[in-house]
């Protein structure tokens, strides 16, 4: 196979002064600079053209080289550059004149950071096929990163554009060089020409957005990024870096715009709070509190707490002005429940000792396994209860939050920038918690599956809500929850298309729970309209209320007295551990009529309790740490007498 290379093209790549060399010296210079490439090849120079003749490979070698080339290219597209490099090197051993192998090997090595070696192969690709613009583009992009090489890079990219005037990559790279030079007008022209040739070219959309942002045209830049996210082509894994850079730029722009519109967004939220206060009949107050990451706020509604005001507690340190969104979000919880109450459709989302124990009992093998892995953890029972309560609250909040965010987008456009940067922060925190190895180790598989699926469903919602800017869906692929998450999101979309009348978001919560198989983790209670109603488990980690079964037997009263005696003098922390461990044991499946002592509590060593004893112990423990808490039964007829008897025994 013979390749003809004009000397003018060779000058782009050689350090030698070819104009002052004889033909023999030119050949020597070529062999010196490319010793591997031209081994076994015949080289001659005539009429300012270099002729390179490679020996023809055997048909079997050529066939195998073609097969391996295809495989090597696929490896590149999949991001497996090390494997690709090995395959492509073998291609060149079989067929030293295989131009695509030189080009793809150079690109793979460039991705691996082996710049010098990569450039050698790309130069050789350009020499062997002077009509191919691509090696010039890659070489130009490599040179532009080196100090003092911008003009050399521009010459290579100019050559690429000359070879293929419609090549979008060359035009995009020339736009990047003009951006580096500070000529943003010329840069925009190159990017726009690249997009005219390839409208879905993500790199050019990003370049144009960067140029616009540099000129202070933040709204136009963000709109351009929106086109990138919605229409940009993800060619292969190498495109991911462009989308990542675009999202970083989007965050910078969103924060800049949010800061610019800070006063307007806060004024809109304050006005919104006034409206919510008027509609609900109670003022809305706010305060800052210490909350963990991924827990932005807590709302305490007046009618649930028996107060004359609602209270929104915000996480300390939440960034400004993103907290405007959190305040409005929590106020919308109040507004929606207020509207449901006014329509007579409100109901209370409640976890009970019974629903909690059913759930935890179903996970008992998994919890025991975790316990064996953490034998020194004396707070395991409390942790399991907390994890279950958190997952149950998430079932409520995930569905409701989708409704709330869409409503805020419609009703508070002034909040849009703060809303987006806030949702981005929460989404990043959720992805981080989900992938946290230590958290996953101590979380029962059932609870983890619920959390993973709900987080993934919210990620799908946010991706569409933000027109692709907030795309954390990929973070959940390793956990195999996306198919279930897509079904949840589809349920939201179907409900949203019909619209939500007051209280109808509760139906969506039930739909989510049913699809997740956790409908038994909570119950609904009617809202009587009275102050001091049941505690909504979505409002932080409060003790639950439940419909009460009355127990007033003499045996139960004596067990209550015994429990009071047992817990006398114990620390609050110890009592809390006893309460949570008893709650973890649960009441489901307990035989309250049997005197058989089969239940153990770690604080009492080898002692065993009957089902009724365990329930009484749980009741007393909860009264000590949180008076008024119920455990799914009503001891009110005998509780005062039990307290009096205990007090008398102390005298």
């Amino acid at each position: 196979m013979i390749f003809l290379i004009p000397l003018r093209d060779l000058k782009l790549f050689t350090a030698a002064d070819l104009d002052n060399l004889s033909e023999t010296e030119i050949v020597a210079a070529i062999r010196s600079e490319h010793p591997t490439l031209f081994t076994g090849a015949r080289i001659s120079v005539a009429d300012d053209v270099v002729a390179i003749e490679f020996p023809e490979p055997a048909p079997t070698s050529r066939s195998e080289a073609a097969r391996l080339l295809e495989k090597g290219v696929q490896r590149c597209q999949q991001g497996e550059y090390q494997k690709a490099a090995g395959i492509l090197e073998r291609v060149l051993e079989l067929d030293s004149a295989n131009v695509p192998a030189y080009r793809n090997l150079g690109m793979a090595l460039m991705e691996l950071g082996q710049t010098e070696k990569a450039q050698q192969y790309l130069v050789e690709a350009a020499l062997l096929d002077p009509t191919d613009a691509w090696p010039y583009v890659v070489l130009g992009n490599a040179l532009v990163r080196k100090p003092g090489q911008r003009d050399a890079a521009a010459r290579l990219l100019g050559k690429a554009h000359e070879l293929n005037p419609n090549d979008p990559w060359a035009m995009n790279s020339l736009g990047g060089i003009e951006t580096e030079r500070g000529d943003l007008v010329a840069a925009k022209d190159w990017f726009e020409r690249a997009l005219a040739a390839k409208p879905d070219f993500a790199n050019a959309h990003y370049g144009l957005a960067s140029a616009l942002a540099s000129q202070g045209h933040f709204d136009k830049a963000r709109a351009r990024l929106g086109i990138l996210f919605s229409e940009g082509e993800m060619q292969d894994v190498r495109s991911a870096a462009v989308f990542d850079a675009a999202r970083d730029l989007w965050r910078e722009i969103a924060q800049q715009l949010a800061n610019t519109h800070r006063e307007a967004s806060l004024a809109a939220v304050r006005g919104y709070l006034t409206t919510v206060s008027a509609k609900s009949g109670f003022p809305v107050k706010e305060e800052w509190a210490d909350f963990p990451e991924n827990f932005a706020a807590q709302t305490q509604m007046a009618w649930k707490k028996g107060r004359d005001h609602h209270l929104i507690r915000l996480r300390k340190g939440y960034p400004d002005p993103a907290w405007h969104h959190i305040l409005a979000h929590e106020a919308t919880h109040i507004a929606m429940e207020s509207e449901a109450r006014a329509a007579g459709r409100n109901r209370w989302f409640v976890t009970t000792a019974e629903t909690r124990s059913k759930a935890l009992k179903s996970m008992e093998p998994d919890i025991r396994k975790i316990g064996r892995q953490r034998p020194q953890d004396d707070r395991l029972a409390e942790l399991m209860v907390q994890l279950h309560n958190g997952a149950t609250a998430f079932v409520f909040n995930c569905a409701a939050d989708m409704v709330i965010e869409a409503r805020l987008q419609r009703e508070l456009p002034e909040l849009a920038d703060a809303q987006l940067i806030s949702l981005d922060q929460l989404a990043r925190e959720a992805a981080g918690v989900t992938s946290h190895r230590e958290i996953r180790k101590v979380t029962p598989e059932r609870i983890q599956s619920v959390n993973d699926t709900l987080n993934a469903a919210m990620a799908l919602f946010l991706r569409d809500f933000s027109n692709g800017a907030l795309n954390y869906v990929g973070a959940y692929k390793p956990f195999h929850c996306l198919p279930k998450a897509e079904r949840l999101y589809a349920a939201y979309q179907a409900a949203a298309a019909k619209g939500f009348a007051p209280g109808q978001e509760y139906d969506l919560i039930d739909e989510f729970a049913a699809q997740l198989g956790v409908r038994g983790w909570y119950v609904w209670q009617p809202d009587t309209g009275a102050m001091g109603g049941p505690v909504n488990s979505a409002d932080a980690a409060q003790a639950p209320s439940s419909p009460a079964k009355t127990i007033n037997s003499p045996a139960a009263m004596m067990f209550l007295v015994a429990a009071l005696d047992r817990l006398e003098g114990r620390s609050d922390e110890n009592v809390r551990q006893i309460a949570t461990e008893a709650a973890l044991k649960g009441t489901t499946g307990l035989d309250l009529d049997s005197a058989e002592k089969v239940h153990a509590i770690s604080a009492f060593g080898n002692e065993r309790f009957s089902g009724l004893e365990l329930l009484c112990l749980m009741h007393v423990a909860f009264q000590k740490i949180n008076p008024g808490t119920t455990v799914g039964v009503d001891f009110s007829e005998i509780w005062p007498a039990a307290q009096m008897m205990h007090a008398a025994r102390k005298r």
Side-chain angles (χ1 to χ4, degrees):
M1 182 175 291
I2 299 177
F3 295 90
L4 301 176
I5 306 171
L7 277 177
R8 66 176 180 275
D9 292 335
L10 194 60
K11 291 176 183 178
L12 289 170
F13 306 112
T14 184
D17 183 3
L18 300 182
D19 292 331
N20 297 315
L21 297 181
S22 66
E23 293 180 357
T24 301
E25 289 171 331
I26 290 174
V27 171
I30 293 172
R31 288 195 182 279
S32 174
E33 293 189 8
H34 306 280
T36 303
L37 173 62
F38 299 121
T39 300
R42 294 175 57 188
I43 304 176
S44 61
V45 181
D47 299 327
D48 291 333
V49 173
V50 178
I52 302 173
E53 183 177 1
F54 289 92
E56 290 289 337
T60 54
S61 296
R62 177 172 291 173
S63 176
E64 177 65 3
R67 184 187 71 81
L68 290 174
L69 175 64
E70 183 177 354
K71 185 177 180 181
V73 171
Q74 289 176 348
R75 293 292 192 186
C76 284
Q77 292 171 341
Q78 294 163 0
E80 299 176 5
Y81 302 114
Q82 195 68 55
K83 292 180 180 179
I87 293 170
L88 294 167
E89 285 171 350
R90 177 56 181 159
V91 171
L92 292 176
E93 290 174 5
L94 294 168
D95 182 3
S96 58
N98 193 308
V99 179
Y102 285 103
R103 182 178 64 190
N104 284 283
L105 179 54
M107 292 166 60
L109 292 171
M110 192 70 75
E111 295 290 345
L112 291 170
Q114 300 179 33
T115 308
E116 296 300 325
K117 191 175 180 182
Q119 289 178 348
Q120 183 71 19
Y121 282 106
L122 290 167
V123 167
E124 290 162 358
L127 291 176
L128 296 178
D129 185 3
T131 64
D132 185 2
W134 191 242
Y136 293 91
V137 172
V138 180
L139 285 166
N141 287 333
L143 277 182
V144 81
R145 302 187 189 105
K146 294 185 175 183
Q149 295 297 310
R150 189 169 59 199
D151 291 341
R155 287 194 294 272
L156 289 170
L157 292 166
K159 174 65 177 179
H161 182 57
E162 176 188 326
L163 291 171
N164 185 358
N166 292 318
D167 184 276
W169 291 92
M171 290 186 281
N172 178 73
S173 297
L174 287 166
I177 285 179
E178 295 301 341
T179 301
E180 290 287 328
R181 288 173 171 166
D183 190 343
L184 298 179
V185 174
K188 286 170 60 179
D189 180 64
W190 280 118
F191 292 133
E192 287 169 352
R193 290 167 68 181
L195 288 170
K198 184 175 173 59
D200 62 355
F201 191 20
N203 300 59
H205 283 299
Y206 171 67
L208 182 53
S210 297
L212 289 167
S214 297
Q215 292 178 310
H217 301 313
F218 296 117
D219 286 314
K220 290 182 179 179
R222 185 164 65 177
R224 177 56 55 180
L225 290 172
I227 298 173
L228 186 162
F229 297 136
S230 61
E231 300 178 12
E233 180 187 19
M234 177 71 77
Q235 293 182 313
D236 54 44
V237 294
R238 288 170 290 192
S239 301
V242 178
F243 281 81
D244 289 344
R247 290 192 170 90
D248 287 341
L249 177 60
W250 180 92
R251 290 186 188 96
E252 293 175 13
I253 293 171
Q255 184 67 57
Q256 178 67 42
L257 289 171
N259 291 339
T260 300
H261 302 147
R262 182 187 183 284
E263 298 301 324
S265 70
L266 185 57
V269 173
R270 293 294 181 207
Y272 185 59
L273 291 179
T274 300
T275 301
V276 171
S277 297
K279 286 185 176 180
S280 70
F282 298 94
V284 180
K285 297 183 180 180
E286 65 200 70
E287 67 179 26
W288 296 92
D290 292 313
F291 289 133
E293 186 180 80
N294 205 37
F295 194 104
Q298 174 201 61
T299 296
Q300 298 176 358
M301 300 187 193
W303 45 74
K304 290 180 180 175
K305 297 295 183 180
R307 293 177 180 156
D308 62 356
H309 65 275
H310 306 295
L311 179 63
I312 297 176
R313 307 180 72 217
L314 304 165
R315 186 173 93 196
K316 287 181 181 177
Y318 204 79
D320 183 63
W323 67 268
H324 301 175
H325 159 252
I326 298 300
L327 185 57
H329 179 101
E330 294 303 307
T332 309
H333 270 295
I334 299 171
M336 288 168 56
E337 191 161 310
S338 175
E339 291 160 4
R341 284 167 66 88
R345 296 176 182 168
N346 197 45
R347 40 189 166 136
W348 308 107
F349 181 92
V350 176
T351 56
T352 69
E354 184 175 5
T355 60
R356 181 172 56 251
S357 60
K358 280 183 179 179
L360 293 175
K361 203 169 191 67
S362 70
M363 303 176 226
E364 195 168 351
D366 203 12
I367 294 174
R368 286 178 179 172
K369 179 180 177 182
I370 294 171
R372 288 193 296 270
Q373 296 170 348
R374 302 167 65 90
Q376 305 304 317
D377 190 346
D378 58 359
R379 302 186 64 182
L380 181 63
E382 182 178 359
L383 174 62
M384 293 302 108
V385 172
Q386 290 173 348
L387 289 171
H388 167 261
N389 287 346
T392 306
F394 196 9
V395 173
F396 179 96
N397 281 318
C398 182
D401 286 355
M402 291 181 185
V403 179
I404 288 172
E405 296 305 336
R407 177 168 172 166
L408 287 175
Q409 189 180 57
R410 293 192 306 270
E411 297 183 2
L412 281 179
E414 303 91 340
L415 185 66
D417 301 309
Q419 181 181 22
L420 286 170
I421 62 171
S422 173
L423 290 172
D424 182 50
Q425 167 144 339
L426 292 174
R428 279 186 283 125
E429 290 176 355
V433 170
T434 298
S435 60
H436 196 291
R437 290 185 177 181
E438 293 305 312
I439 293 176
R440 296 188 76 87
K441 284 181 182 178
V442 299
T443 304
E445 185 177 341
R446 188 78 188 88
I447 292 176
Q448 192 65 67
S449 176
V450 169
N451 287 338
D452 288 348
T453 304
L454 290 170
N455 273 318
M458 181 56 73
L460 291 166
F461 168 82
L462 291 178
R463 180 194 63 190
D464 292 352
F465 180 83
S466 65
N467 295 319
L470 306 181
N471 191 348
Y472 291 89
V473 176
Y476 300 96
K477 287 183 179 179
F479 308 118
H480 310 293
C481 58
L482 283 176
K484 291 185 291 184
E486 287 167 352
R487 290 193 288 273
L488 292 185
Y489 180 44
Y492 162 76
Q493 289 176 304
K498 297 177 182 177
F500 291 97
Q504 281 190 334
E505 64 273 12
Y506 302 146
D507 297 332
L508 182 62
I509 293 166
D510 281 345
E511 175 65 22
F512 275 30
Q515 288 198 29
L516 291 167
V518 298
R519 183 58 187 84
W521 285 18
Y522 62 91
V523 294
W524 293 106
Q525 291 185 15
D527 178 3
T528 63
M531 292 284 282
V535 176
N536 186 330
S537 69
D539 293 342
Q542 298 289 336
S545 298
S546 65
K549 169 187 175 182
T550 299
I551 295 181
N552 55 10
S553 66
M557 187 175 75
M558 296 309 299
F559 289 146
L560 289 172
V561 174
L564 285 164
D565 292 343
R566 291 177 190 280
L567 300 181
E568 181 72 27
R570 291 181 179 267
S571 67
D572 289 346
E573 183 60 29
N574 187 232
V575 173
R576 184 181 299 277
Q577 291 176 12
I578 292 169
T580 53
E581 187 173 351
L584 180 60
K585 302 286 184 183
T587 60
T588 299
L590 295 181
D591 187 349
L592 300 183
D593 298 320
S594 173
E596 187 176 3
K597 297 178 181 290
V598 294
H599 305 287
I601 295 294
S602 59
F604 301 111
N606 294 326
E607 189 173 1
R608 296 292 184 268
F609 301 87
S610 69
L612 184 56
E613 280 182 294
L614 182 67
L615 189 61
C616 291
L617 179 64
M618 187 184 348
H619 173 79
V620 172
F622 273 119
Q623 296 317 300
K624 283 185 168 291
I625 61 175
N626 196 351
T629 300
T630 69
V631 293
V633 297
D634 180 5
F635 286 113
S636 61
E637 293 184 18
I638 57 175
W639 177 235
Q643 291 175 294
M644 291 176 61
M645 187 175 294
H646 167 68
R649 288 160 66 127
K650 290 170 57 180
R651 295 192 186 102

